[in-house]
Amino acid sequence: MAMEMAGRRSLAFARSTSTPFLNLKQNPNLLHILASPRHFSLSSPSSSSEDDCGHFHGKFHKWHNGGGAFHESACIDSSAFVDVGAVVHSESVVGPDVRIGSGTVVGPSVNIGHSTRIGFNVSLSNCCIGDSCVIHNGVSIGQDGFGFYVDSDGNMIKKPQLLNVVIRNHVEIGANTCIDRGSWRDTVIGDNSKIDNLVQIGHNVVIGNNCMLCGQVGIAGSATIGDYVTMGGRVAVRDHVSIVSKVRLAAASCVTKDIKEPGEYGGFPAASIYKWRREVASRRRNI
């Protein structure tokens, strides 16, 4: 009876919370986490309120598997590992077999799917992360995008950044990459996409499935990237442009307008790889 009541209480919590990611139709794996009493914890047997010498107090408690801190309203699967120094904030959902490294902060209302690995000193907020993802050290997901406008008095006014980041399944994100939350649509990273270190993805960007982004790629806000797109190191993509599926961009190229045909591109501004190579060869001959 006690286990049945715990399951009902967890499901009632999921239905009442305001976070957009606790949607059981869109996230069927959450039903398994939230409805099963053995996978749900409002508190831990090792929870305690302790003093100021590095101990927990108030509504944060010590997680039994790893020693990290968690808020009592968080939904954490009993198999999840929360390392010492990691913090899971209120109303977050952490699925089965998730590993969260030291120094990582899982912000309020973040959802993490099963078997996802999160490294050290990661910052997660306003986001939903799918199953079997790898988030390397120092990644920041869900912070405000860079959006401002100038008012009639010449003052810089910040545009509201109120939406989220959606990371699909089997995504890998390299160290110190930043992915901004959306303002008019969610920022989305598609299934099986792989992102290298030091990549910047602006607000409202949508990246398709099976894409590869190499180091120091920068994608400005509201760009739309299709499936199977590969970007070499230091590729830049202008805001509000679209790139069709099955495009390969050479290193250090810059996309300034829509790419509507699959193929290989390079240069600044990006053009067909064959045209770009002819232009480079012509310049060398003239020199």
Side-chain angles (χ1 to χ4, degrees):
M1 179 63 71
M3 293 177 66
E4 181 180 356
M5 290 299 294
R8 290 176 180 174
R9 180 172 55 181
S10 65
L11 199 54
F13 164 77
R15 289 169 177 164
S16 64
T17 183
S18 60
T19 173
F21 296 114
L22 290 176
N23 184 325
L24 300 182
K25 292 183 179 180
Q26 296 179 0
N27 296 275
N29 290 331
L30 295 182
L31 184 62
H32 170 72
I33 299 170
L34 295 171
S36 174
R38 71 177 184 275
H39 288 304
F40 179 79
S41 178
L42 278 174
S43 59
S44 166
S46 60
S47 299
S48 62
S49 295
E50 299 173 335
D51 56 26
D52 296 332
C53 300
H55 300 291
F56 306 112
H57 56 85
K59 295 185 177 181
F60 283 88
H61 309 284
K62 183 178 180 179
W63 183 246
H64 67 92
N65 187 10
F70 74 101
H71 192 274
E72 61 187 23
S73 69
C75 301
I76 307 178
D77 188 275
S78 60
S79 64
F81 179 85
V82 182
D83 205 353
V84 172
V87 181
V88 179
H89 281 266
S90 60
E91 300 182 7
S92 293
V93 176
V94 179
D97 299 314
V98 169
R99 295 187 65 87
I100 300 175
S102 293
T104 289
V105 177
V106 179
S109 303
V110 170
N111 288 356
I112 303 174
H114 72 74
S115 304
T116 286
R117 300 291 184 263
I118 299 174
F120 303 136
N121 299 318
V122 173
S123 174
L124 303 177
S125 58
N126 311 301
C127 65
C128 178
I129 298 176
D131 302 335
S132 302
C133 294
V134 179
I135 313 297
H136 289 280
N137 302 340
V139 168
S140 185
I141 299 175
Q143 65 283 342
D144 282 0
F146 191 72
F148 299 89
Y149 68 92
V150 180
D151 67 9
S152 57
D153 297 323
N155 300 314
M156 297 292 291
I157 307 298
K158 184 177 179 65
K159 292 182 179 179
Q161 310 287 307
L162 301 177
L163 297 181
N164 305 288
V165 177
V166 179
I167 308 293
R168 305 292 189 194
N169 301 325
H170 304 284
V171 172
E172 184 161 346
I173 301 174
N176 296 316
T177 285
C178 295
I179 304 176
D180 297 340
R181 68 189 298 196
S183 59
W184 62 270
R185 67 178 179 183
D186 287 342
T187 303
V188 179
I189 310 297
D191 291 333
N192 297 299
S193 289
K194 312 301 179 185
I195 300 172
D196 198 0
N197 302 339
L198 296 168
V199 171
Q200 163 64 25
I201 298 175
H203 56 184
N204 314 314
V205 169
V206 174
I207 295 175
N209 302 329
N210 298 288
C211 293
M212 295 185 65
L213 279 59
C214 296
Q216 297 187 355
V217 162
I219 303 178
S222 303
T224 302
I225 313 297
D227 301 332
Y228 297 98
V229 172
T230 300
M231 299 185 185
R234 299 183 67 188
V235 165
V237 179
R238 210 198 77 177
D239 58 297
H240 296 275
V241 303
S242 296
I243 299 176
V244 73
S245 297
K246 298 182 179 179
V247 165
R248 297 180 63 189
L249 289 159
S253 55
C254 181
V255 180
T256 60
K257 60 183 180 180
D258 293 351
I259 296 179
K260 300 178 180 180
E261 296 291 335
E264 297 185 346
Y265 295 80
F268 182 10
S272 166
I273 196 76
Y274 307 106
K275 179 180 178 182
W276 175 56
R277 286 171 178 167
R278 286 196 298 268
E279 290 174 353
V280 171
S282 177
R283 288 195 202 103
R284 288 182 176 174
R285 284 196 296 268
N286 292 336
I287 291 173

